[in-house]
C-alpha cells in the first residue's frame, strides 16, 4: 500500500519555504554554497539553487557529492557498487555549506557526506537540509537544520522521493 506524504504542490511550497529559511538564517547568500548528495539530493539542491537565484538574484555555488566510498557499510555485502562523479567546482574554505539530501533516516549517508566534504576543504559551517526527516531509527546523532516534512514510519516502510523527470510529477510516498 502506498500513501502520499507530499504532492507536487506540497514539494514546491516546501522548497520555497526552506529556501527562505536558509537565506534568513545565513543573512543572504553571499558566502553560501549548496552540496547535493547523489542522486535525489542533487536534484533537490538544483531546485534550491534556482529558488535562491530567483529570490536573491545571486548564483550560489552548486556541488554534487557521491558518498559511496565514504560509507561505513561497504563490507555489508552491497553488490555492484556504482560510483558516480563528485563535482565541487569551488573552494569550501570559509563557506557556509548547506548539505542537501532527499531523506534523512539513519544518518549514515550524512556522516559519510561530512567525511567526504573534509577532503575538499574546511568550510566555516555545514548545515543539513532534507526534504523528508524520518525521525525514528536514527543510528547517529544527526538532525536536519531545514526539512520539508517530518514523518513517523515503522519498520519495513520505504520512503520514496520521485522527481518529475522520473515519472509524471514530483511526489513523496511511503510504501508499506
Amino acid at each position: 500500500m502506498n500513501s502520499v506524504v507530499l504532492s507536487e504542490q506540497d514539494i514546491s511550497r516546501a522548497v520555497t519555504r526552506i529556501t527562505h529559511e536558509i537565506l534568513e538564517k545565513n543573512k543572504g547568500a553571499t558566502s553560501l554554497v549548496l552540496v547535493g548528495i547523489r542522486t535525489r539530493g542533487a536534484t533537490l539542491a538544483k531546485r534550491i539553487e534556482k529558488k535562491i537565484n530567483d529570490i536573491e538574484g545571486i548564483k550560489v555555488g552548486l556541488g554534487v557529492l557521491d558518498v559511496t566510498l565514504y560509507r561505513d557499510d561497504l563490507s555489508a555485502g552491497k553488490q555492484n557498487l556504482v560510483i558516480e562523479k563528485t563535482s565541487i567546482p569551488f573552494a569550501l574554505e570559509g563557506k557556509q555549506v548547506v548539505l542537501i539530501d532527499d531523506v534523512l533516516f539513519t544518518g549514515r549517508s550524512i556522516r559519510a557526506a561530512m567525511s567526504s566534504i573534509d577532503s575538499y576543504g574546511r568550510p566555516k559551517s555545514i548545515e543539513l537540509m532534507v526534504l523528508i526527516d524520518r525521525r525514528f531509527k536514527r543510528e547517529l546523532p544527526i538532525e536536519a537544520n531545514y526539512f520539508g516534512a517530518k514523518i513517523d514510519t515503522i519498520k519495513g516502510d520505504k520512503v520514496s522521493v520521485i522527481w518529475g523527470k522520473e515519472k509524471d510529477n514530483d511526489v513523496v510516498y511511503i510504501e508499506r
Side-chain angles (χ1 to χ4, degrees):
M1 178 177 88
N2 293 342
S3 174
V4 173
V5 176
L6 295 177
S7 68
E8 184 167 22
Q9 194 172 32
D10 297 329
I11 292 170
S12 177
R13 280 192 297 268
V15 166
T16 299
R17 174 182 50 79
I18 291 165
T19 303
H20 282 283
E21 289 174 5
I22 291 168
L23 291 170
E24 182 179 347
K25 186 172 180 191
N26 290 284
K27 297 181 181 3
T30 54
S31 65
L32 199 63
V33 295
L34 309 175
V35 177
I37 299 175
R38 284 204 186 272
T39 314
R40 288 176 179 84
T43 301
L44 182 55
K46 287 177 191 168
R47 291 180 183 210
I48 298 288
E49 182 233 7
K50 181 184 180 323
K51 190 62 76 173
I52 287 172
N53 192 358
D54 291 347
I55 295 167
E56 296 280 307
I58 295 173
K59 190 151 177 74
V60 297
L62 177 64
V64 178
L65 191 62
D66 184 317
V67 300
T68 304
L69 293 177
Y70 290 86
R71 294 195 53 95
D72 62 0
D73 58 358
L74 287 179
S75 62
K78 287 196 171 208
Q79 308 286 327
N80 302 324
L81 291 177
V82 176
I83 299 169
E84 304 265 349
K85 183 179 179 191
T86 289
S87 172
I88 301 182
F90 44 81
L92 293 179
E93 299 297 323
K95 295 292 187 181
Q96 294 166 280
V97 174
V98 179
L99 184 61
I100 300 174
D101 204 4
D102 60 342
V103 178
L104 173 58
F105 186 32
T106 63
R108 294 195 174 278
S109 292
I110 303 307
R111 187 215 45 86
M114 290 191 302
S115 294
S116 177
I117 284 174
D118 284 346
S119 302
Y120 294 91
R122 184 175 178 173
K124 179 179 180 182
S125 66
I126 299 175
E127 295 180 315
L128 176 61
M129 185 258 137
V130 297
L131 186 59
I132 300 294
D133 182 345
R134 286 186 66 168
R135 284 205 287 215
F136 297 124
K137 193 70 173 122
R138 197 89 74 239
E139 296 173 8
L140 298 171
I142 293 174
E143 293 296 322
N145 301 88
Y146 313 100
F147 58 87
K150 287 191 176 196
I151 62 171
D152 300 327
T153 56
I154 59 175
K155 186 177 181 176
D157 285 354
K158 180 181 179 199
V159 175
S160 295
V161 176
I162 306 298
W163 298 115
K165 64 184 179 190
E166 297 174 42
K167 295 235 177 172
D168 293 335
N169 57 359
D170 300 340
V171 67
V172 177
Y173 63 89
I174 298 176
E175 295 177 53
R176 294 214 152 106

